[in-house]
Amino acid sequence: MKRPLYFEILSFFLSMFMMASCQKKTTVNEPILTAGMNNFQFAMQQEEGEELVGVYYMPSWNTSPDPSTDRDSFWSCITGKENCSSLQNPGIWGPKGRIYNKKYPYEGPYLDRKPIAELKGFYKRDDPEVIKKQLEYMKSYGIDFFAYDWFYGRHYYYHLYFGPQSKIYYPKGWKIDTNRDGRVAVPGLVEWGDQLKIMLEVNAKLPKEKQMKWAINWCDDSHERWMHWLEIGSPDARARKANYEGEKPDKELYLKVHEKITQLWIDEYFKRGDYLKEKDGRPIVYFYFPQDAESRAAFYGLKLKDLLDLSQATAKKQVFQASNSSL
């Protein structure tokens, strides 16, 4: 199977699985690769030479500071300028936000341009019925997979003993501070992942022949998030008790966070049967802006290849540990 066509995006493949057997090019097979207690199962449905068609899937998010108010990042700008976060963002438009004048008047709102009725108009992003319809549309129009724009805030510390944060992913066995409510030693969490969570739940309930394949499209492109990372351990952050002594954004922590990201992909996504994989079972990950990821690595004298090598090593270690556990 050739690599999927996907609009000039750099992909890299994590060598998680090792296969010794060879198959004829046109053979359709369903290998089950075991790793400890988990079964990695994937169907080889494309013959050699067949291309795949994929699309981006960009999630929206709540822009309201009040968690009880859902102000969708997309719909708010279409329905009016008062609550449009894109116009109010001082990082884009300056301290006064977007200013309109005769030369650049406000155009909108676009209330007559609602999504079709089958998607319930200005729908809620986590509505399972809407998501099911989106998946069905993609499948019926010949789309083979979607690449979900995946965001990660590497600067977030959280506490595993604190109820609302107890279910946030953290690699098993990694260090925590038991004297600070299980504060994680390695920060970072998925941002705007609620939509993906529902999508995967809905997709798993569809008949296998109607399920969509999907892959991560890692968006490491936010200057604001990068500034938050560099502020870890600053005098202001420590004064606010956002950070404690010893917490600092050095090279060692940066690489440990990248290892955590890769481990999350392995534990949460790559084991799924609907995740997009190469013919030999290697899961596919896209980089939205690889140059942004490389520029952040360059801050520490690293190259993008160093990050890819670390991901490869993390994946191979997973296979090795699984092989030992099954002996």
Side-chain angles (χ1 to χ4, degrees):
M1 182 180 75
K2 292 184 180 179
R3 295 184 183 182
L5 294 176
Y6 202 71
F7 313 113
E8 301 179 357
I9 291 182
L10 171 69
S11 65
F12 75 98
F13 305 96
L14 302 177
S15 301
M16 290 183 60
F17 311 121
M18 295 176 290
M19 296 177 61
S21 61
C22 296
Q23 302 290 341
K24 294 181 179 180
K25 290 185 177 180
T26 56
T27 299
V28 177
N29 52 17
E30 289 191 61
I32 298 178
L33 307 177
T34 60
M37 299 297 292
N38 298 298
N39 285 339
F40 298 86
Q41 187 172 14
F42 52 92
M44 302 307 174
Q45 298 177 348
Q46 284 79 28
E47 294 184 353
E48 185 72 21
E50 183 177 349
E51 304 287 3
L52 297 179
V53 177
V55 296
Y56 297 106
Y57 192 102
M58 175 64 183
S60 61
W61 56 92
N62 184 15
T63 64
S64 171
D66 181 1
S68 63
T69 300
D70 188 11
R71 191 169 67 206
D72 191 276
S73 59
F74 292 164
W75 301 147
S76 62
C77 295
I78 294 177
T79 57
K81 66 179 181 179
E82 291 76 14
N83 293 320
C84 179
S85 61
S86 296
L87 304 182
Q88 297 172 354
N89 188 340
I92 298 176
W93 300 110
K96 295 184 179 180
R98 174 68 184 270
I99 298 176
Y100 295 96
N101 52 37
K102 292 182 179 180
K103 185 176 181 180
Y104 300 105
Y106 171 73
E107 297 180 4
Y110 302 104
L111 300 180
D112 58 334
R113 302 185 186 182
K114 294 181 181 179
I116 59 175
E118 288 80 356
L119 294 180
K120 302 182 180 181
F122 296 123
Y123 56 81
K124 290 180 63 66
R125 61 187 168 277
D126 57 355
D127 185 330
E129 294 180 356
V130 171
I131 288 176
K132 181 182 179 183
K133 183 64 67 174
Q134 290 176 330
L135 294 172
E136 290 174 343
Y137 279 146
M138 283 190 275
K139 195 72 173 182
S140 64
Y141 279 92
I143 296 171
D144 298 298
F145 72 97
F146 63 89
Y148 187 92
D149 289 354
W150 191 84
F151 298 85
Y152 195 81
R154 57 167 54 88
H155 61 285
Y156 289 105
Y157 282 87
Y158 50 96
H159 305 80
L160 297 179
Y161 298 167
F162 178 57
Q165 301 176 358
S166 62
K167 294 184 179 181
I168 299 176
Y169 173 84
Y170 195 64
K172 185 177 180 181
W174 281 30
K175 183 180 178 181
I176 62 173
D177 188 343
T178 57
N179 295 321
R180 289 197 174 102
D181 293 323
R183 184 178 178 86
V184 298
V186 182
L189 50 79
V190 178
E191 293 186 301
W192 311 317
D194 52 341
Q195 203 164 347
L196 178 60
K197 179 177 181 294
I198 302 299
M199 289 187 77
L200 298 185
E201 290 175 356
V202 172
N203 199 41
K205 293 177 182 179
L206 295 173
K208 191 172 182 179
E209 67 275 9
K210 294 184 178 181
Q211 291 181 7
M212 287 292 299
K213 293 291 185 180
W214 72 283
I216 295 164
N217 184 31
W218 185 24
C219 302
D220 190 21
D221 64 340
S222 170
H223 174 74
E224 183 179 10
R225 283 198 297 276
W226 180 245
M227 290 297 101
H228 286 320
W229 163 259
L230 295 180
E231 290 168 0
I232 290 177
S234 67
D236 177 66
R238 292 181 62 179
R240 292 184 287 107
K241 294 186 177 181
N243 294 121
Y244 298 94
E245 185 174 353
E247 295 177 348
K248 54 184 178 180
D250 56 15
K251 180 178 178 179
E252 181 181 1
L253 186 63
Y254 174 80
L255 288 172
K256 197 64 180 177
V257 170
H258 186 78
E259 180 184 348
K260 179 183 177 181
I261 291 172
T262 304
Q263 192 63 51
L264 184 154
W265 293 344
I266 294 169
D267 292 340
E268 301 285 300
Y269 305 143
F270 294 165
K271 299 175 183 179
R272 296 180 58 95
D274 56 2
Y275 195 87
L276 184 68
K277 301 181 180 75
E278 258 287 6
K279 186 175 181 179
D280 61 3
R282 292 176 296 168
I284 298 172
V285 173
Y286 294 94
F287 275 38
Y288 181 59
F289 280 134
Q291 67 271 24
D292 285 345
E294 187 159 37
S295 68
R296 290 160 181 33
F299 182 84
Y300 296 104
L302 300 168
K303 297 181 179 180
L304 183 60
K305 184 179 183 301
D306 296 316
L307 300 184
L308 303 186
D309 288 345
L310 177 56
S311 290
Q312 294 279 0
T314 303
K316 290 176 180 177
K317 182 173 65 175
Q318 180 84 1
V319 173
F320 177 76
Q321 291 175 341
S323 298
N324 283 343
S325 67
S326 62
L327 294 178

